[in-house]
Amino acid sequence: MSDPRMQSMHLESQPRREQFRTARQLLEKACGVKTAKTEGRGGEPDEALDSPTIAAPACELPVPPKVVLTFYLKDGTNVYPLQIGMNSIGRLPDNDVVIRDESVSRRHCAIVVHTDFRCEVHDVASKNGTILNGVKIAGPTRMQSGDQIHLCTKKLMFVISEAAPAAV
C-alpha cells in the first residue's frame, strides 16, 4: 500500500511488524476499487467490496437522494470527522484521528467508510486490541451508528448523521 500511514517501520520487533503487515493486507482488500479511487489510489476488483466481515449489518436501507450522510467519532466533547475511504486511528500525528493517550498504539485501528456507506473497523495489529461494543474484534467488523469503540482506556462513539443538503 502506498499510503504512508500504513508502513510498518514504526514497529521494533519482527513478529509485531509481520502482524501489522497482515492486518494492512486485509485493510487494502476491504477498501475495494470504488472506495480506494475516492482516496486517489488503486485497489482490488469490485468483488472485494462484498468481502465478508465478522458481523452482519442490521438492515441496509437505500439512502434517500436528498439526504447527506456524515460519519464521525465522538469522544466526550471532541468530534473526529471521517471521510470515505480509510481513516487511520492512533497516537502518531499523521493518523486521521490522533488519540493522545500512551495506552493507544501508534497505529491502533482503521475505519473504512465505503462509497456505498458501509463502515467497518479493522484492528491494525495493535498491542492491546480493539474492542467494539464490549467484544474484542478478531477481524474486520461492520459498524453501525452508536457503536462504542474502546482503544484501551479511550472510549469513542461511532456516529452516522443524516442532514438535508445545504441550499445552493
Side-chain angles (χ1 to χ4, degrees), residues 142-160:
R142 292 256 176 109
M143 295 176 37
Q144 300 177 51
S145 189
D147 282 351
Q148 299 288 321
I149 302 169
H150 290 261
L151 310 177
C152 301
T153 61
K154 207 64 166 165
K155 186 190 326 185
L156 301 165
M157 184 189 324
F158 175 70
V159 180
I160 302 173

Side-chain angles (χ1 to χ4, degrees), residues 49-125:
L49 290 173
D50 295 323
S51 62
T53 54
I54 304 293
C59 179
E60 293 188 28
L61 299 174
V63 178
K66 304 244 185 229
V67 173
V68 175
L69 295 179
T70 58
F71 304 87
Y72 59 92
L73 293 173
K74 191 169 183 176
D75 166 18
T77 58
N78 298 320
V79 174
Y80 307 98
L82 302 173
Q83 304 297 321
I84 299 277
M86 188 205 41
N87 299 272
S88 62
I89 303 167
R91 266 192 354 249
L92 289 177
D94 64 341
N95 282 298
D96 298 300
V97 177
V98 178
I99 306 294
R100 290 177 174 81
D101 184 324
E102 287 301 312
S103 65
V104 173
S105 293
R106 290 174 273 197
R107 301 267 189 238
H108 200 101
C109 64
I111 293 177
V112 177
V113 179
H114 294 281
T115 55
D116 63 359
F117 307 118
R118 288 181 299 121
C119 302
E120 54 196 33
V121 62
H122 296 250
D123 185 77
V124 189

Side-chain angles (χ1 to χ4, degrees), residues 8 11-21:
S8 58
L11 297 170
E12 299 87 19
S13 69
Q14 188 61 29
R16 292 266 335 274
R17 192 172 291 147
E18 289 305 316
Q19 290 171 342
F20 183 88
R21 289 177 180 161

